[in-house]
Amino acid sequence: MDARAPRGTADMLPDVARAWEHMTRTAQELFARYGYEPVYTPLFEHTEIFARGIGEATDIVAKEMYTFDDRSDPPNSLTLRPEGTASVVRAALQHSLVPQGSFAKLYYSGPMFRYERPQKGRMRQFWQIGIECLGAPEPSADAEVIAVLWRYFETLGIPAAQMRLLLNSMGDEDCRPAYRDNVAAYIREHAGAMCDECDRRAGTNPLRAFDCKNPSCQEVMSGAPLLRDRLCEPCAAHYEAVKGHLDTLRIPYAEEPRLVRGLDYYTRTVFEVQVDAGLGAQNAIGGGGRYDRLMEQFGGKPTPGLGFALGFERTLLAMEASGAKIPAPPRAEVYVARVDESVAGEAFELAQRLRDAGVAAELDHMARSLKAQFKQADKLGAALVVVVGPDELAAGEVTVRDMSDGASDRVAIQGIVDDVHSRLA
Ligand SMILES: [Zn+2]
Ligand SMILES: [Zn+2]
């Protein structure tokens, strides 16, 4: 048998898991300031939720989903979630979280699944954090969502100077269909110079040709018509207002009229944050947009919505490249050492008293010598070692050694918890 994790998955060992928890905690604290509440949805949904929500012609739905039949008769077609938005919007509809005239702000974090070729920062099981702001049509909501993403990366220690915020408008049902037809016609005019995939896209999802990595396709698409020049008046006004609000917040952005992002549900604002270092060509660490029609796709009432998702793996690479620090608390604040086996019970009980009092305490379970216990205390980063010995114990005392300067004191065992607290403070 192959006893390794499946290709495209990774075990999060303590260093990486700690980084994930740091990123999650940072998100919880920051998102709460903007009024976001947590939500957890199932890791799998009925396949139609993604097929309809994300779009049949997207790469995700066409090629990358983990879809399976369950054991019901007849079987349900289920799919491991490839992204978070469709599930959150489905849940908001099911539980009526956004009655007319109301709004909801939700955030999620957890694993997503896409069958892709694994590469640096791109896994088949990958982790995302995202927010969804439902019910708010105003352009200030767009700028606020973008501000949350921008501030989040800054809070993690990625300097603003190393990030680029790209901004575009995808238009809406009034101006996009005609534009899509323009792009499809443009691709057909240049069919000879484009890859087979893009030829096919002309009939299904022409805007995806802007994302094609083929140099000759990129060359052709650099001359394609731009939606920016064809937005209807309300879409153009919305886009201008979003930019104005970003200016107010002094969040720098670059307009990228070819930014389309790979999902069909976007309307109007789309955005992406990229970094210069650590990721190579796959340099986006987060992005999102507005999806005012998504709730209707699922049979709900028209409900404006927008949000972002950011990838844990890529964000961590960007943090490492920019030298951002991930806090690593010591595994033990206090190490309880024993001189010999005769006081093992007292040492065990003392460690528990310290833990009950909120102190991270560790002790030996391997019958190590006193010297080896001190070595272990040092390795765990303990600030103090409390030594329990038969002679001291007979006098109702223990020895407390300060590991920073080696100074030792005899302390009454009765007051040891208070003593440790004052020394750690
Ligand atoms: Zn192409
Ligand atoms: Zn429009």
Side-chain angles (χ1 to χ4, degrees), residues 2-3 42 52 88 95 135 156 158 268 282 356 382 393 421 424:
D2 188 346
R52 285 243 210 128
V88 172
H95 305 285
L156 287 177
I158 304 172
R268 294 190 168 169
Q282 297 288 339
D356 287 344
L393 207 56
H421 268 311
L424 290 176

Side-chain angles (χ1 to χ4, degrees), residues 171-172 174-175 232 235:
D172 62 4
D174 288 333
C175 51
C232 65
C235 285

Side-chain angles (χ1 to χ4, degrees), residues 16-53:
V16 175
R18 192 180 299 119
W20 172 237
E21 291 187 347
H22 170 62
M23 284 173 58
T24 308
R25 239 182 346 259
T26 303
Q28 288 162 351
E29 288 167 14
L30 182 72
F31 298 175
R33 279 188 241 159
Y34 292 83
Y36 283 84
E37 299 183 290
V39 64
Y40 289 82
T41 61
L43 297 195
F44 54 85
E45 298 273 351
H46 291 291
T47 299
E48 308 90 83
I49 294 294
F50 304 119
R52 285 243 210 128

Side-chain angles (χ1 to χ4, degrees), residues 343-405:
V343 294
E346 285 82 357
F348 193 49
E349 198 262 332
L350 178 53
Q352 185 63 32
R353 270 173 65 197
L354 290 168
R355 289 160 173 166
D356 287 344
V359 176
E362 186 55 286
L363 81 167
D364 176 52
H365 294 292
M366 299 168 69
R368 281 189 254 230
S369 70
L370 188 59
K371 191 176 163 203
Q373 292 177 61
F374 267 95
K375 239 187 187 163
Q376 184 66 11
D378 196 43
K379 203 171 149 193
L380 296 177
L384 303 172
V385 175
V386 176
V387 184
V388 183
D391 298 342
E392 295 92 333
L393 207 56
E397 293 180 336
V398 289
T399 303
V400 178
R401 166 96 65 101
D402 186 323
M403 293 294 275
S404 64
D405 58 11

